Amino acid sequence: MTILWTSSAIAKALHGQESEDFSVSGVAFDSREIGPGDLFFALKGEKSDGHAYVKDIYAAGAAGAIVSQPVDGPHILVADTTRALNDLAIASRARSGAKIIGVTGSVGKTGTKEALFAALNRVSKGKAHRSVKSYNNHVGVPLSLSRMPAQCQYGIFEMGMNHSGELAQLTRLVRPDVAIITAIAPAHIGYFSDVEAIADAKAEIFQGLTDDGIALIPYDIPQYDQLRTIALRYTKNVVSFGFGEQADVRAIDVVPAPGGGSLVTAKIGGILGDHSLCFTVAEPGKHWVSNALAILGAVRAVDGDLAAAGLALAELKGLDGRGRRHRIALKDGNKALLIDESYNANPLSMRATLAQLGAEQCNGRKIAVLGAMGELGDKSETYHRALADDIIASGAQVIILVGDEMAYTSARLGEIVSEKLDHNPEITHVAGSSDAAIKTILAGVAGAIGGDDILLVKGSNYLGLAKVVSALVSEEY
């Protein structure tokens, strides 16, 4: 067992009372994820209390627990277990000599984080660390920091928010040497007055920058000057990335790559020095080229290997729910392509994904299963109606709309079809997000899909469209 923390180091960091000596190799707050050698944080939530699962975690092999009441088993007693998790995160950051990268943005956070990890883990021979899954909130970020080994050379942490002030708290824990904003979009706009307010909230990530830290911001967005002005309050080192001629890290040529994706020639300049790189981005779409430019900028900023970053981008496969591609077997023996974008959706990511669907070479039909976009507030009708134009432009011939808000999209599609289309796509609206709705969607897909078709599944996570993907991949439809 590789020791991550000793009980004495934990007790010192948490100002807690140690019951006995022990060492841990991992950290978790979900009792279902506990394995041999792990440290368990018994967090108290609105609906559950981790102390109720202490017997279970010891039975699963936990080496110790952080508790606010005495228990039978190795533990450290603290006044507040949630505060203790933050304290351990602070101690982990303080003991680390790693170069730390923080990633936020309205879209592309997780993919960018994973690509950075792949690039830096390769060159450091396994001494890179990152937040797993989408552990990017007030609990996930300190947990991810607490899991960082002391010997790491690089740490990559995803940070998310849906309210003002949240990123400020997270970035002060992470204290990034490099802070990336991937993009700005009207995600969670139901909690904000406008997109500029979202940009302000995302720019909070710069508040945690270390001395001489570097801010990486997208050049090709209306909020560029706004982000740059805010970043300069916290660092003199601001690097832009994008397609514009004045971007510090820019794509000077992008062509389709054989077998999919993009072949990119990029130029790096500004404070990062002069470098050029020709590389392949395995993931298709202009949005992934933009992510790749941010990744190159960050790798260069931490003195990483640009060639290794290029190789990582060429080998990167889509993540579950975020672009993973499956060849699914149909009941007639043929196969179709399933593009899994089921994890989340906002107006910008919907537009980018539908644009990529339109660019796909397809010998069959294009089928789109699209779920509603959540947290849009009083702007929901506007954004859902506008989505209809992107759907038509994608060339989808079978359109299954899921969720109550998609009634607006369905109505606008009907108007477009009657006004100016010389063909009639098949349009179905499935209200709600129940198991019955999932069965209806699967029945619709089964009745429509054929060999060489392309099926896109995308929507907000609360709709459960991942169940549709799982059923199709496992041939349960």
Side-chain angles (χ1 to χ4, degrees), residues 22-34:
F22 60 89
S23 299
V24 302
S25 57
V27 184
F29 58 76
D30 187 334
S31 61
R32 296 165 296 184
E33 295 182 357
I34 287 291

Side-chain angles (χ1 to χ4, degrees), residues 385-425:
R385 282 181 63 84
L387 184 61
D389 292 312
D390 296 313
I391 295 172
I392 293 298
S394 75
Q397 293 141 295
V398 179
I399 304 161
I400 301 175
L401 306 172
V402 186
D404 296 340
E405 299 93 332
M406 279 297 196
Y408 301 124
T409 311
S410 180
R412 178 57 186 149
L413 282 171
E415 294 168 5
I416 294 173
V417 168
S418 64
E419 289 169 2
K420 55 186 177 183
L421 283 191
D422 56 4
H423 66 281
N424 292 326

Side-chain angles (χ1 to χ4, degrees), residues 107 185-190 341 343-354 370-391 401-409 429 458-463 465:
V107 293
H188 316 297
I189 199 167
E341 289 276 1
Y343 182 78
N344 221 333
N346 62 52
L348 180 60
S349 67
M350 274 286 200
R351 173 168 290 182
T353 304
L354 287 166
L370 303 173
M373 301 175 287
E375 299 184 342
L376 296 180
D378 60 6
K379 300 175 180 65
S380 182
E381 179 177 354
T382 299
Y383 283 115
H384 280 94
R385 282 181 63 84
L387 184 61
D389 292 312
D390 296 313
I391 295 172
L401 306 172
V402 186
D404 296 340
E405 299 93 332
M406 279 297 196
Y408 301 124
T409 311
H429 178 218
K458 184 170 181 63
S460 289
N461 197 36
Y462 75 88
L463 292 166
L465 294 184

